[in-house]
Amino acid sequence: MNTLFLDIRNPLQNTDAVNTAAAFLRAGEVVAMPTETVYGLAANAFDSTAVHKIFAAKGRPQDNPLIVHVAYVQELFDLAAHVPTAALRLAEKFWPGPLTIILPKKDRVPDAVSGGLSTVAVRMPSHPSANALIRAAGVPLAAPSANISGFPSPTDVRHVMDDMDGRIAAVCDGGNCEFGVESTVLTLATDIPRLLRPGSVTLEQLREVLGEVQVDDAVLHPLQAGQTASSPGMKYRHYAPLAKITVVKGTAQDFYKFLAKNSKKGDLALCFEEDVPHISLDCVTFGQADDPFSQTHRLFDALRELDEKKAKTVWARDPASDGVGLAVCNRLYRAAGFCFVHNTLTVGITGITGAGKSTLTKLFAQKGFAVVDADAIARSVTEKGSPVLAQLAEVFGEDILLPDGTLDRRKLGARAFADAESTQKLNNITHPAILERIRTAVLDLQKDGKNAVLDVPLLFETGLNELCDHTVYITADHGIRMARLQSRDGLSAQEIEKRMQARFDEAYFTERSDFVLVNNGKDGLDALFEELFAKITAELTEKP
Ligand code: TXA
Ligand code: MG
């Protein structure tokens, strides 16, 4: 099909173009029209055959109903079986404008428009070109967003041409869309009015007019298995660019730190303009952090830009969710398929024997930090049936296995620590597996949004410090450690000296650690810990 391009940016001057488009509509054809929210794919709402053409052009599922666009409030009475005063109050306040009202439908509204539901969605757009077109057509226009189903809604005529050229009779150019996200959808067909889709008319504004307004669960959450969508559009993956988008929950600082730690070369950041200087990745921006209107205006463009850049992995800033921000979150979260990560705190602790490393780890655990204990993991890699254990048996003799298949640690110890070469062999077999397990454990916790504390004797030597946001070295004076170890482990002074000699010098640790705790006090670690904890968590903020 040859698609006619019509300029109706100034409808009063371009009356010929408006009339041409209106004639197509009256003849049962589909025409793309600008609105103040996004471009729509319009057809005569009372003509089922014409409406079916919209579904075909978009590849839209038949059960997803369309919004009917009108030019006068009175047209509500042609479409709705009953018009409550609440609808008229809303129309008075917000029409023409980006609010769609759902009401019980009249029989004359075809099933194709309502997706088989008993209700109809109506809105009066404020875009002068849309208004002129509806008036010239002389019929209400059913119109979904003018994108191929599942792709971001078009906010510029160029996007409409990208998606629709050759599929419909005409595309009308009305300039760039003012709001950039689709209208607010509110149903009055429920006992209590319910927000089905947030938009530029905010929940707060609706509550001012109506009092109680419920927010449909699907606004910020994925549908659970078996749950039916109040608005059929909510059940489809929507607003989806081809890239895999993950929203990083939390503040700007959380976002920057997360990216510094977790992003790879070639990843993209979907962020606010003021974030750009703080990020080393290629950035696609969607407005300014404190201006949700700038975000709605830019978001769909930004999503399309990701595709143009052939982005694969995208990390997105989490917008504020109040006011118009609710619409931004709703669209972004859906584009991300509700995939979130949290920036977390990972603290690595290392320390000299007897300085209080285990106690410090416990104090972090009491604050809700998950503990990754290198010693416990080291033991676990030689568990019964593990590949590491099989390798050890091959090198150190099958008889290091007990009859039940578990490791005889004493026997292995005797052989592996007999000389330096054997110790090296032991380490070559076990260390890679231990490191891998620690690494996986830490990354899993970070993915789950959990703060973690790593108790790792060889934190710097193994490079595990790289996974940590902060490293802590805990130490104490020689005499104090001696006394602690003697009373704790019942070791002789000589045995303790021997253990301690195996360590690097202090400077190695103090130079590398972010924090050095000198635990010489008699009153325990509590005060030192609280001070440390306050510093470490200063930037960590929770968002609901
Ligand atoms: O701003 C907008 O609303 C744009 C412009 C073109 O007007 N239109 C738009 O249409 O976004 P569409 O089809 O992309 O989204 C309409 C949404 C869908 O989620 C649909 O399921 C829902 O409104 N909807 C339509 N009629 C409904 C009904 N009777 N009951 C429940 N949800 C309905
Ligand atoms: Mg749509």
Side-chain angles (χ1 to χ4, degrees):
M1 183 185 285
N2 185 23
T3 301
L4 201 61
F5 189 89
L6 297 166
D7 180 359
I8 62 166
R9 277 176 298 174
N10 188 338
L12 296 178
Q13 269 168 22
N14 311 125
T15 45
D16 285 352
V18 171
N19 288 333
T20 307
F24 276 130
L25 289 165
R26 276 196 305 275
E29 291 301 333
V30 175
V31 171
M33 70 167 175
T35 83
E36 73 281 18
T37 57
V38 300
Y39 274 79
L41 269 192
N44 178 355
F46 292 133
D47 179 345
S48 289
T49 317
V51 170
H52 279 297
K53 289 184 188 167
I54 297 176
F55 286 87
K58 257 184 88 90
R60 183 180 175 103
Q62 301 280 342
D63 66 348
N64 195 1
L66 308 180
I67 295 170
V68 178
H69 297 69
V70 298
Y72 308 96
V73 177
Q74 287 78 349
E75 287 174 277
L76 262 182
F77 295 89
D78 301 336
L79 298 159
H82 168 69
V83 181
T85 54
L88 296 174
R89 286 211 309 275
L90 289 171
E92 186 179 27
K93 181 99 201 237
F94 300 112
W95 281 5
L99 173 67
T100 297
I101 304 170
I102 295 176
L103 294 168
K105 80 174 187 78
K106 273 207 160 127
D107 288 343
R108 67 180 293 206
V109 176
D111 280 345
V113 171
S114 65
L117 299 175
S118 59
T119 50
V120 62
V122 188
R123 90 174 188 94
M124 177 162 42
S126 63
H127 195 297
S129 304
N131 249 280
L133 190 58
I134 302 166
R135 277 185 209 156
V139 286
L141 300 179
S145 49
N147 50 291
I148 301 272
S149 229
F151 284 87
S153 295
T155 52
D156 190 281
V157 77
R158 190 172 51 90
H159 302 152
V160 182
M161 286 303 278
D162 286 347
D163 281 13
M164 291 299 151
D165 195 14
R167 290 170 172 262
I168 57 176
V171 169
C172 296
D173 180 4
N176 201 258
C177 300
E178 180 190 345
F179 291 107
V181 289
E182 307 87 340
S183 61
T184 303
V185 177
L186 176 86
T187 180
L188 293 179
T190 44
D191 288 340
I192 297 165
R194 178 180 280 262
L195 179 71
L196 301 185
R197 181 175 76 181
S200 301
V201 171
T202 65
L203 178 63
E204 292 84 348
Q205 287 176 305
L206 293 172
R207 283 183 174 150
E208 253 170 50
V209 176
L210 298 174
E212 192 180 1
V213 176
Q214 292 175 338
V215 178
D216 200 76
D217 214 33
V219 166
L220 288 182
H221 307 281
L223 279 180
Q224 305 300 314
Q227 203 177 355
T228 50
S230 320
S231 178
M234 294 294 190
K235 75 182 172 208
Y236 299 106
R237 175 137 193 237
H238 226 194
Y239 316 117
L242 300 169
K244 164 99 186 95
I245 300 179
T246 305
V247 179
V248 182
K249 294 294 244 177
T251 62
Q253 292 303 323
D254 290 325
F255 187 59
Y256 307 151
K257 283 172 148 194
F258 180 88
L259 292 186
K261 253 193 300 175
N262 300 285
S263 66
K264 291 191 210 55
K265 209 170 151 243
D267 291 1
L268 264 99
L270 180 60
C271 60
F272 302 131
E273 278 152 33
E274 54 267 58
D275 295 330
V276 176
H278 302 275
I279 297 172
S280 61
L281 297 177
D282 192 4
C283 296
V284 170
T285 58
F286 65 110
Q288 290 113 40
D290 57 359
D291 178 6
F293 278 105
S294 72
Q295 297 164 25
T296 58
H297 188 73
R298 270 285 302 153
L299 184 63
F300 287 127
D301 269 4
L303 293 177
R304 282 179 182 257
E305 217 175 300
L306 294 175
D307 280 347
E308 282 160 21
K309 294 193 171 216
K310 307 225 180 326
K312 289 205 178 70
T313 304
V314 176
W315 305 104
R317 249 308 278 280
D318 192 20
S321 63
D322 55 336
V324 176
L326 187 62
V328 182
C329 287
N330 169 272
R331 306 309 192 278
L332 178 62
Y333 293 178
R334 302 183 85 75
F338 297 97
C339 185
F340 303 106
V341 284
H342 304 254
N343 183 42
T344 54
L345 268 187
T346 304
V347 180
I349 300 180
T350 195
I352 195 157
T353 315
K357 191 159 64 78
S358 317
T359 312
L360 183 60
T361 306
K362 269 188 213 130
L363 289 168
F364 272 100
Q366 280 168 15
K367 296 277 191 187
F369 278 54
V371 176
V372 178
D373 178 347
D375 289 339
I377 289 182
R379 279 192 296 279
S380 79
V381 297
T382 54
E383 72 213 344
K384 186 176 159 181
S386 64
V388 170
L389 189 54
Q391 253 181 298
L392 289 174
E394 208 176 289
V395 172
F396 293 101
E398 291 294 328
D399 60 337
I400 62 161
L401 301 179
L402 292 164
D404 66 356
T406 58
L407 175 64
D408 183 340
R409 288 186 189 280
R410 294 185 70 161
K411 203 174 263 179
L412 173 67
R415 289 181 195 168
F417 296 118
D419 52 74
E421 197 192 332
S422 303
T423 308
Q424 191 60 48
K425 276 186 192 163
L426 171 76
N427 290 346
N428 288 348
I429 296 172
T430 55
H431 279 186
I434 296 169
L435 264 180
E436 186 52 34
R437 267 201 205 183
I438 296 178
R439 200 170 274 279
T440 311
V442 172
L443 292 177
D444 282 351
L445 288 167
Q446 290 179 345
K447 246 186 248 156
D448 283 357
K450 298 206 176 91
N451 297 327
V453 59
L454 274 66
D455 178 349
V456 182
L458 302 177
L459 185 66
F460 297 106
E461 297 87 331
T462 54
L464 284 167
N465 59 306
E466 301 281 335
L467 293 181
C468 301
D469 300 294
H470 301 287
T471 52
V472 182
Y473 173 59
I474 181 161
T475 181
D477 287 353
H478 188 84
I480 291 175
R481 287 187 291 126
M482 289 288 277
R484 283 189 195 137
L485 288 175
Q486 274 175 320
S487 71
R488 189 189 78 185
D489 301 346
L491 297 177
S492 71
Q494 215 181 359
E495 284 169 305
I496 293 168
E497 285 291 354
K498 208 174 130 197
R499 270 207 207 177
M500 287 181 176
Q501 269 161 18
R503 304 294 299 187
F504 283 97
D505 61 318
E506 290 260 34
Y508 176 86
F509 297 100
T510 51
E511 275 164 16
R512 285 168 176 75
S513 303
D514 302 327
F515 298 94
V516 176
L517 281 197
V518 183
N519 181 23
N520 282 339
K522 288 196 196 63
D523 313 326
L525 254 175
D526 290 359
L528 277 180
F529 170 72
E530 287 302 338
E531 197 187 323
L532 170 75
F533 193 77
K535 282 187 198 150
I536 281 180
T537 53
E539 298 151 294
L540 188 77
T541 36
E542 278 287 320
K543 229 191 111 176

